[in-house]
Amino acid sequence: MTFTLQQFDTAGLKLYFGSNAPILPDGSVGVPTNPEPTQSAFLAVFVDGDNHFAFYAPRSEIYRADDMAISDTESLAGLPIGVKPMVYGTNTWTYAITPLGGVLATGATAGSPGSFTPDGAVVPANLAAMAGVTAAPTTKWTTGQHLVLGDASKAYWNATAWVAGTAT
């Protein structure tokens, strides 16, 4: 995946010129003779009105993809960055793309399994993504009630917080 970074701060310049680019005494970024790509996880979320999708690589190499794009004084300058997904641990995949989605879930109704609201909402990816979701009912869910999250794990409301698993 390639894109043009238009942020010329220290972090952006190090992505473009290499993770080993030194910060010089005057604060400028030095260009190393043997640049090394930055290795890290990568997540890009694209939003178009109510629609969104994401590209995620748990491990990737990020480095310049082309020469700097400075076409004229009327256009924005940019740093062409390339993201090369790599195998992470025992994964059998290098990157994931979410389906085009709409509204995020804002509510969850108890059940076996329960459901998310509004209808057609994108299911939260994992327990951490449940932070902005309101439970219905707000009392402790009863035995067996749960939700199925995007990573196939289960969660339930214990009257004060979202908890992993099925209510007991």
Side-chain angles (χ1 to χ4, degrees):
M1 172 180 200
T2 61
F3 60 94
T4 302
L5 185 65
Q6 293 175 317
Q7 187 167 324
F8 282 70
D9 62 1
T10 301
L13 291 170
K14 286 181 74 90
L15 286 175
Y16 184 76
F17 289 113
S19 62
N20 61 332
I23 306 302
L24 304 178
D26 68 354
S28 59
V29 176
V31 179
T33 54
N34 294 309
E36 297 175 6
T38 299
Q39 288 197 12
S40 72
F42 179 82
L43 172 66
V45 179
F46 301 89
V47 179
D48 180 14
D50 286 339
N51 292 308
H52 62 274
F53 73 96
F55 174 94
Y56 170 67
R59 181 173 177 228
S60 66
E61 281 190 347
I62 305 170
Y63 188 59
R64 75 174 146 234
D66 203 348
D67 293 334
M68 245 188 270
I70 304 174
S71 57
D72 59 58
T73 58
E74 299 295 319
S75 301
L76 292 173
L79 302 169
I81 301 289
V83 177
K84 176 184 172 186
M86 301 169 66
V87 174
Y88 177 72
T90 59
N91 286 355
T92 57
W93 53 278
T94 57
Y95 64 94
I97 300 173
T98 62
L100 185 62
V103 178
L104 296 176
T106 56
T109 304
S112 299
S115 59
F116 290 98
T117 58
D119 285 339
V122 176
V123 173
N126 53 35
L127 187 62
M130 293 292 289
V133 178
T134 303
T138 57
T139 56
K140 183 182 183 298
W141 289 8
T142 60
T143 301
Q145 293 183 325
H146 66 278
L147 297 162
V148 178
L149 305 178
D151 64 359
S153 65
K154 295 179 181 178
Y156 70 95
W157 183 250
N158 74 355
T160 58
W162 292 109
V163 181
T166 300
T168 55

